[in-house]
């Protein structure tokens, strides 16, 4: 059993986005975080101070642990942001700005 | 001037119930939520693009949701309710002449400003989870219990294959059964609650037979999925290099200290953890509403102490979806009467008021059973990060208290930066307070969301000034 089977999902056609240039598949309606989890990725940024890996923590937009760069915009919350075909996700180091 | 009516902020059980009750009584309602769909946390739906044909498989009380959803649809079609999605409210401003201006951010990056006028406001923003720190809690793979549930219900995804669900509180039950039903192996449900306190509270708990039956239902599901339940146990640490690989758990003694000889390691790639919930109070705070402890104060009609502002659901205290529905229903009726210029007749909602009283008493009893281990802070090693955003360690917080004399959360924050990051202390507040040994105070935040400076600068300029 998986979650899609549990609810008998018939998703619209999958589309491609990229994570650091690598192609991954996403389903319509999925957030950045959901697509990354499906691809087996649970961490996509490192912290500003100690460079530690982080991903989803609260899942609802409160904690800001899931920050990620999408289409060159850093600091987007992956748990809230729905994906569009062709979106370019980049793992984010520190503030995500080239500083 | 436009024709403002009621602005409901939050489309969870409380906001939906209030919207329907008020709209049915002739009030024009604008229902605002940051999510793309109505439902809030309890009725969170899979994104429509995922084409779920049996979304109820992830839900309890689907019927109640269908009634709310259909009611909302009918009102939206009839033009009595305007539903505004993807709007993150960051501030509600009181205007003497025209009531209120609700300020929101919208757009993919949530940077475009939007303003909604209203003569009355209902705050129904719900709550979020409290997680106390322990070594390893920042590792990827450690998520909040509700967060795992939200990702599952909304995105139809699991964080990993083998999960431990831990902490304390009634939310752990739907999360453990939900993850198991969706195909994860749940290695254990670890709750620090002491079975003896269930017995001591049995009268108060048995006073709500429906709730007890709900508990029994979960127990059956846990059995069916072979989920081991360990009561009076706690997570001591999460282990892993780049992501979670295992957790150490241990039993608690009578005083709430670890029984060292009972430590054991469970292999898992997911830890769903929660130590209870906290109400969202930022908008109420900024409006000047009275907040008692962590809860927005309301009277019997769900009115705050600021004229024109009502509050319902978990904003006013944590108590689950059924209580939120009841409070929303009462608020909607009260608002309808007050906006029509008359005092409502509480006799109209006598049954709802009884339900509300019963559920509040029930959750008071529940709260006294589901408590974190008394000595949890002793397990937080000096090297443990307690403020996730600013990466402040427990050692730094202790030093601020011991060497620099910080005696309250505000001083700790100024000396260590704990609570100054993106989340504004929402996540670390209770943990930092516990480690510092000072009182947990409701955080005072000027805004409910981070606001771009440009938006802030323009927010005061409105067309009718
Ligand atoms: C992550 C999470 C998952 C949960 N899952 C379950 C579960 O599976 N089962 C269960 O029994 N209980 C669950 N709960 C408990 C749940 O909080 C309540 O039972 C119930 O949903 C509370 O209803 P409510 O109407 O008070 O608030 P909520 O349902 O939380 O609704 C509040 C709404 O307000 C919106 N909102 C908040 N702030 C703003 C803002 N500033 N601007 C715009 N919109 C805003 C939110 O998007 C949300 O839709 C969960 C709680 C959390 C935090
Ligand atoms: S996971 Fe907390 S904000 Fe996204």
């Amino acid at each position: 059993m998986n979650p899609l089977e549990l609810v008998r999902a018939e998703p619209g056609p999958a589309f491609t986005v990229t994570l650091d240039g690598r192609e991954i598949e996403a389903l319509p309606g999925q957030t950045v975080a959901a697509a990354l989890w499906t691809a087996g990725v649970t961490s996509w940024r490192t912290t500003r101070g100690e460079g530690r890996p982080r991903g989803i923590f609260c899942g609802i937009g409160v904690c800001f642990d899931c920050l990620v760069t999408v289409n060159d915009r850093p600091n987007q919350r992956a748990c809230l942001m729905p994906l569009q075909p062709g979106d370019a996700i980049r793992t984010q180091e520190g503030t995500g700005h080239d500083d | 001037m436009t024709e403002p009516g009621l602005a409901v902020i939050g489309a969870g059980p409380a906001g939906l119930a209030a919207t329907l009750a008020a709209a049915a009584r002739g009030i024009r309602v604008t229902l605002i939520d940051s999510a793309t769909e109505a439902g809030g946390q309890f009725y969170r739906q899979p994104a429509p693009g995922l084409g779920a044909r049996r979304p109820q498989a992830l839900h309890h009380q689907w019927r109640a949701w269908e009634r709310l959803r259909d009611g909302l649809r009918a009102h939206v079609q009839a033009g009595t309710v305007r539903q505004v999605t993807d709007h993150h409210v960051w501030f509600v401003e009181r205007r003497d002449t025209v009531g209120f201006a609700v300020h929101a951010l919208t757009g993919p990056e949530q940077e475009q400003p939007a303003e909604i006028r209203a003569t009355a406001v209902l705050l129904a923003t719900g709550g979020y989870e409290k997680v106390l720190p322990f070594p390893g809690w920042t590792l990827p793979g450690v998520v909040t219990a509700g967060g795992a549930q939200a990702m599952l219900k909304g995105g139809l995804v699991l964080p990993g294959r083998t999960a431990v669900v831990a902490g304390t509180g009634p939310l752990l039950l739907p999360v453990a059964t939900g993850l198991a039903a969706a195909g994860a192996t749940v290695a254990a449900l670890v709750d620090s609650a002491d079975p003896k306190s269930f017995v001591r509270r049995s009268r108060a708990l048995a006073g709500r037979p429906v709730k007890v039956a709900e508990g029994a239902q979960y127990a059956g599901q846990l059995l069916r999925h072979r989920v081991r339940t360990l009561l009076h146990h706690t997570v001591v640490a999460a282990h892993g290099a780049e992501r979670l690989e295992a957790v150490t758990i241990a039993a608690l003694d009578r005083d709430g200290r670890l029984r060292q000889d009972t430590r054991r390691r469970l292999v898992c790639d997911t830890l769903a953890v929660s130590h209870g919930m906290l109400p969202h109070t930022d908008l109420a705070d900024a409006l000047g509403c009275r907040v008692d402890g962590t809860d927005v104060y309301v009277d019997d009609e769900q009115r705050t102490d600021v004229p024109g502002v009502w509050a319902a659901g978990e904003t006013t205290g944590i108590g689950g979806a059924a209580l939120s529905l009841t409070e929303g229903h009462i608020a909607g009726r009260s608002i309808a009467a007050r906006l029509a210029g008359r005092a409502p007749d509480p006799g109209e909602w006598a049954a709802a008021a009884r339900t509300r009283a019963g559920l509040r008493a029930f959750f008071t009893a529940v709260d006294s059973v589901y408590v974190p281990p008394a000595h949890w802070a002793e397990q937080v090693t000096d090297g443990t990060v307690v403020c996730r955003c600013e990466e402040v360690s427990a050692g730094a917080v202790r030093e601020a208290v011991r060497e620099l004399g910080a005696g309250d959360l505000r001083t700790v924050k100024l000396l260590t930066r704990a609570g100054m990051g993106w989340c504004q202390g929402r996540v670390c507040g209770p943990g930092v307070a516990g480690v510092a040994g000072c009182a947990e105070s409701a955080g005072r935040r000027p805004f409910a969301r981070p606001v771009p400076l440009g938006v802030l600068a323009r927010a005061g300029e409105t067309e009718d000034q």
Side-chain angles (χ1 to χ4, degrees):
Chain A
M1 183 67 78
N2 69 39
L4 291 158
E5 285 166 16
L6 178 67
V7 300
R8 300 217 200 106
E10 284 178 354
F15 55 81
T16 316
V17 297
T18 58
L19 171 65
D20 294 331
R22 167 166 81 94
E23 293 199 334
I24 63 168
E25 261 196 3
L27 294 173
Q30 277 186 331
T31 57
V32 173
L36 291 178
W37 272 14
T38 309
V41 181
T42 48
S43 116
W44 47 81
R45 82 164 176 114
T46 52
T47 55
R48 210 155 25 108
E50 297 174 25
R52 301 296 300 150
R54 294 279 175 88
I56 286 289
F57 184 59
C58 75
I60 59 165
V62 174
C63 75
F64 293 84
D65 252 28
C66 65
L67 297 178
V68 71
T69 300
V70 181
N71 301 332
D72 293 327
R73 288 186 171 258
N75 297 322
Q76 305 302 311
R77 279 171 287 179
C79 66
L80 298 183
M81 180 172 252
L83 277 172
Q84 306 299 330
D87 278 349
I89 310 164
R90 275 196 294 123
T91 52
Q92 178 170 320
E93 280 170 35
T95 59
H97 295 98
D98 303 319
D99 54 8
Chain B
M1 203 181 88
T2 43
E3 186 202 335
L6 166 67
V8 173
I9 307 170
L16 283 168
T19 297
L20 298 189
R25 288 164 182 78
I27 303 297
R28 301 183 66 83
V29 185
T30 308
L31 175 61
I32 308 161
D33 201 293
S34 52
T36 44
E37 309 281 327
Q41 302 303 349
F42 188 75
Y43 300 120
R44 184 183 288 274
Q45 308 296 313
L50 292 167
R53 285 182 303 149
R54 270 196 84 247
Q56 59 269 44
L58 281 168
H59 278 267
H60 305 273
Q61 294 150 33
W62 186 254
R63 282 273 180 68
W65 161 247
E66 284 179 327
R67 275 199 296 273
L68 293 169
R69 180 198 61 193
D70 296 347
L72 177 63
R73 253 182 221 160
H75 277 296
V76 169
Q77 268 159 18
T80 36
V81 173
R82 184 161 74 100
Q83 191 185 356
V84 179
T85 58
D86 288 308
H87 277 58
H88 298 248
V89 177
W90 56 274
F91 193 60
V92 182
E93 186 190 352
R94 229 163 124 188
R95 298 258 175 92
D96 285 342
T97 44
V98 282
F100 301 89
V102 177
H103 295 281
L105 293 168
T106 188
E109 283 89 27
Q110 291 149 34
E111 289 185 339
Q112 270 117 52
E115 192 185 304
I116 292 145
R117 295 300 182 82
T119 30
V121 174
L122 172 72
L123 305 173
T125 46
Y128 61 99
E129 270 171 299
K130 168 165 120 181
V131 179
L132 300 171
F134 50 88
W137 75 309
T138 53
L139 278 172
V142 179
V143 295
T144 67
Q149 182 83 334
M151 292 284 291
L152 173 58
K153 280 182 175 178
L156 302 179
V157 287
L158 291 171
R161 287 165 201 278
T162 309
V164 169
V165 179
T168 192
L171 185 57
L172 300 185
L173 290 165
V175 173
T177 52
L179 292 175
T185 302
V186 179
L189 192 168
V190 179
D191 194 317
S192 58
D194 181 352
K196 280 205 272 335
S197 25
F198 285 104
V199 179
R200 274 198 298 274
R201 303 269 172 235
S202 58
R203 268 195 53 204
L205 297 175
R208 302 297 309 175
V210 178
K211 284 275 151 197
V212 174
E214 213 176 284
Q217 221 176 27
Y218 283 125
Q221 288 175 30
L222 291 172
L223 265 178
R224 190 145 42 81
H225 293 294
R226 292 173 217 268
V227 176
R228 204 168 13 147
T229 302
L230 297 162
L231 286 178
H232 218 207
H233 277 64
T234 189
V235 167
V236 181
H239 313 283
E242 293 300 298
R243 63 155 301 153
L244 181 71
E245 289 158 19
V247 297
T248 296
I249 63 167
L252 294 162
D253 69 13
R254 240 194 326 191
D255 301 324
R257 286 203 165 79
L258 294 189
R259 288 174 48 199
Q260 296 294 345
D261 53 333
T262 62
R263 279 175 184 254
R264 72 184 123 145
R265 212 175 155 101
L266 301 176
V267 172
C268 59
D269 56 14
T270 303
L271 173 63
V273 60
S274 169
H275 294 105
M277 298 249 312
L278 289 167
H280 274 299
T281 53
D282 304 338
L283 296 174
D285 238 353
L287 271 163
C289 302
R290 180 173 135 201
V291 178
D292 290 343
T294 56
D295 308 340
V296 175
Y297 159 84
V298 285
D299 67 8
D300 285 348
E301 285 179 39
Q302 301 292 137
R303 288 180 300 180
T304 71
D305 64 341
V306 171
V309 181
W310 278 254
E314 296 200 312
T315 317
T316 71
I318 301 306
L323 179 57
S324 297
L325 282 172
T326 311
E327 291 191 358
H329 185 71
I330 295 172
R333 284 167 167 252
S334 159
I335 292 164
R338 297 280 171 195
L339 286 191
R342 59 183 176 84
D345 167 16
E348 271 183 49
W349 64 67
R354 272 195 303 278
T355 308
R356 180 179 61 184
L359 285 170
R360 281 185 184 159
F362 175 80
F363 276 93
T364 306
V366 164
D367 268 355
S368 66
V369 172
Y370 289 112
V371 283
H375 299 278
W376 65 265
E378 290 169 18
Q379 300 313 312
V380 184
T381 55
D382 277 350
T384 305
V385 164
V386 288
C387 165
R388 301 172 70 96
C389 299
E390 293 292 313
E391 298 185 277
V392 180
S393 69
V397 169
R398 288 177 178 135
E399 192 183 283
V401 173
R402 221 180 291 133
E403 320 282 316
L404 307 170
D408 59 84
L409 211 47
R410 221 179 101 77
T411 314
V412 171
K413 174 171 162 176
L414 291 174
L415 291 172
T416 65
R417 297 194 59 79
M420 278 195 193
W422 278 95
C423 90
Q424 286 291 292
R426 286 179 182 87
V427 177
C428 67
V432 171
V435 167
C438 55
E440 203 178 300
S441 47
R444 303 249 148 205
R445 299 175 194 96
F447 306 126
R449 291 284 193 278
V451 189
L453 284 176
V455 172
L456 196 53
R458 285 194 308 273
E461 313 162 359
T462 49
E463 57 276 30
D464 58 349
Q465 270 181 348

